[in-house]
Amino acid sequence: MSDPIIAVDRITKQVPDPGGPLTILHEISFELQRQQSVAIVGASGSGKSTLLSIIAGLDTPTSGSVRLAGIDLFSLDEDARAAVRAEHVGFVFQSFQLLGNLSAIENVMLPLELQGRSDARARATEMLERVGLGSRLRHYPRVLSGGEQQRVALARAFIVRPALLLADEPTGSLDFATGERVMELMFELNRESATTLVLVTHDRAVAARCDRQLRIEAGRVEPGE
């Protein structure tokens, strides 16, 4: 078996609190192979989004390590972690995180432009057509529906064919029917791109579509996970 794309080893996260340090995550460990998918599930406040941020190197743990594509993230400084994210990781958020002053195509082109790609416009056009937004290329986020904005976000995330996609409640701000269509599209793109998926969700049906489920309660992985 090849080396895991993600190796999380005894991650603990504590934050200051008037009553003493508050433990958000307690010695979380798991590995994920390339092209696998895992749903991180649990009640609100259980530490799911914090764990996702640490996997991405956006937040730092109090102790423990994360290896992403064989790289020890927390042996690096912030700039080096950002470079690893740019090369290996795509993101999809509940709040879309589109740049409001950029059109749909400009939002999707941005990761490629940062890589210096000369074919950014052509590839972004193709990707937006793939997600059903070929007629909305020049529209700005403010005139797009929530479902359309999330499809732009998916196009932006997959345009660089990331090794790893991190998705944090991607349908949390969408109605049920729109959320279903967005999730179907996300899983299709994930298969087409041979991407590894880490998905934070409250939706049991969505979680069941993943290869594995990691249930977190009060900052700990439930026994058996």
Side-chain angles (χ1 to χ4, degrees):
M1 183 177 291
S2 61
D3 291 336
I5 182 68
I6 300 171
V8 176
D9 185 28
R10 293 175 292 179
I11 285 293
T12 293
K13 177 68 176 182
Q14 294 180 324
V15 295
D17 185 77
L22 178 64
T23 301
I24 298 174
L25 296 171
H26 182 75
E27 294 198 344
I28 303 288
S29 296
F30 73 97
E31 293 184 351
L32 194 62
Q33 298 297 321
R34 292 179 185 274
Q35 301 183 38
Q36 282 191 319
S37 57
V38 62
I40 301 176
V41 299
S44 295
S46 60
K48 304 185 302 299
S49 293
T50 299
L51 177 58
L52 201 71
S53 293
I54 290 173
I55 291 171
L58 294 167
D59 193 2
T60 56
T62 304
S63 61
S65 66
V66 174
R67 298 187 72 84
L68 173 58
I71 301 166
D72 183 351
L73 284 182
F74 300 108
S75 68
L76 307 176
D77 61 23
E78 285 191 24
D79 289 343
R81 288 200 298 272
V84 171
R85 283 193 296 273
E87 181 177 355
H88 296 287
V89 184
F91 295 93
V92 180
F93 300 97
Q94 177 177 334
S95 56
F96 317 134
Q97 298 288 339
L98 301 178
L99 296 177
N101 63 328
L102 299 182
S103 65
I105 191 169
E106 289 168 341
N107 267 282
V108 178
M109 288 170 60
L110 186 59
L112 295 178
E113 290 180 324
L114 293 173
Q115 292 180 352
R117 296 288 297 260
S118 61
D119 59 348
R121 183 169 295 274
R123 290 190 60 199
T125 299
E126 182 181 353
M127 181 59 80
L128 283 167
E129 289 172 348
R130 170 65 184 83
V131 301
L133 293 175
S135 64
R136 309 287 267 171
L137 302 181
R138 292 171 178 80
H139 289 70
Y140 288 85
R142 64 179 178 274
V143 299
L144 298 175
S145 69
E148 288 171 333
Q149 290 186 64
Q150 195 60 297
R151 281 187 280 159
V152 173
L154 285 172
R156 182 182 60 187
F158 281 105
I159 192 73
V160 294
R161 299 184 70 86
L164 173 67
L165 180 72
L166 302 178
D168 193 358
E169 297 285 2
T171 62
S173 59
L174 304 176
D175 64 77
F176 177 78
T178 302
E180 287 282 292
R181 291 193 294 271
V182 165
M183 289 307 304
E184 185 63 36
L185 179 61
M186 189 182 78
F187 279 106
E188 286 177 8
L189 292 170
N190 195 63
R191 287 192 297 271
E192 291 171 11
S193 302
T195 300
T196 305
L197 174 65
V198 179
L199 169 66
V200 167
T201 183
H202 284 99
D203 189 322
R204 293 183 180 180
V206 170
R209 298 184 62 171
C210 294
D211 298 323
R212 296 171 53 194
Q213 295 185 38
L214 192 73
R215 181 169 295 279
I216 298 180
E217 295 297 341
R220 299 174 183 266
V221 175
E222 283 199 339
E225 296 295 336

